[in-house]
Amino acid sequence: MPSLKTFAAVLVAAAVPTFAQAVDFNLAGGSGTTAKVTLTSGGITLNVTGPSLGSSLDLTTSSSGLGVSTGLLDLPGIGDREALTLTFSQQVSLSNLRLADWDLTDKATLSWAGGSLNLAGDALLPTTGNEPLTNVVGSVFKLTGSGLVTTFKLNGVTAVAAVPEPSTYALMALGLAGIAAIRRRTQG
């Protein structure tokens, strides 16, 4: 029965997940202010906005990354209690943040529905540094400056589409077992 074999092969090919590739979002470039930055890469869309403390802030773009500007005397970066909100089109696992002008005086908190993580600069001079991340999974993240003299920019984000839950694999196996049972019944 070739049509049943073909159907089963198509079902298996559709059910087996492809291995997710890391997607890098480069947030450096441009100049000026905007309300939102939207980027798409590898089938994942990222929206970055700058709300902080209940008031809408301008999102600043520059050659070194994204920041927040609250007014005329504010430095163009993410300062104390200023935040960027990163909203992805699907669940992702963040594996790296690239932070520009990141040094010993800079501190930040990355928060999401499943928890939060405190970050601290470790370079003597302002540089673009990588902050490797593990077990940071969600679709909405908030990066908040948390030091009195903190001023840095978000230069890039690396994300991987979240891996399916074990229950997804169990459901796939149950479906394949059902197809095998139907096939045996029609042959017998």
Side-chain angles (χ1 to χ4, degrees):
M1 193 178 272
S3 63
L4 186 56
K5 286 181 183 178
T6 304
F7 175 72
V10 168
L11 184 62
V12 169
V16 174
T18 58
F19 290 102
Q21 298 291 320
V23 177
D24 189 46
F25 292 94
N26 182 7
L27 301 172
S31 64
T33 59
T34 185
K36 177 170 72 169
V37 170
T38 301
L39 299 166
T40 300
S41 182
I44 300 172
T45 300
L46 168 62
N47 290 308
V48 183
T49 55
S52 178
L53 303 176
S55 62
S56 181
L57 300 175
D58 284 333
L59 187 63
T60 61
T61 60
S62 72
S63 60
S64 57
L66 300 178
V68 176
S69 178
T70 59
L72 187 61
L73 299 176
D74 187 37
L75 295 173
I78 302 170
D80 189 35
R81 295 181 297 167
E82 295 178 340
L84 292 179
T85 301
L86 291 74
T87 306
F88 291 88
S89 59
Q90 66 188 64
Q91 287 270 48
V92 297
S93 174
L94 293 185
S95 60
N96 188 56
L97 289 180
R98 237 178 8 263
L99 304 171
D101 302 332
W102 187 242
D103 59 31
L104 287 172
T105 63
D106 294 321
K107 294 178 180 28
T109 301
L110 178 66
S111 56
W112 65 99
S116 66
L117 181 65
N118 292 322
L119 308 170
D122 57 4
L124 290 175
L125 298 173
T127 186
T128 299
N130 288 309
E131 289 292 329
L133 306 170
T134 56
N135 299 321
V136 179
V137 179
S139 60
V140 178
F141 304 89
K142 190 170 186 176
L143 180 63
T144 307
S146 59
L148 190 58
V149 291
T150 292
T151 302
F152 64 93
K153 296 179 182 92
L154 180 60
N155 181 275
V157 177
T158 304
V160 178
V163 177
E165 301 262 336
S167 61
T168 304
Y169 290 113
L171 188 60
M172 180 184 75
L174 185 63
L176 292 174
I179 290 172
I182 290 171
R183 184 160 190 249
R184 283 188 188 158
R185 180 176 279 172
T186 57
Q187 287 179 347

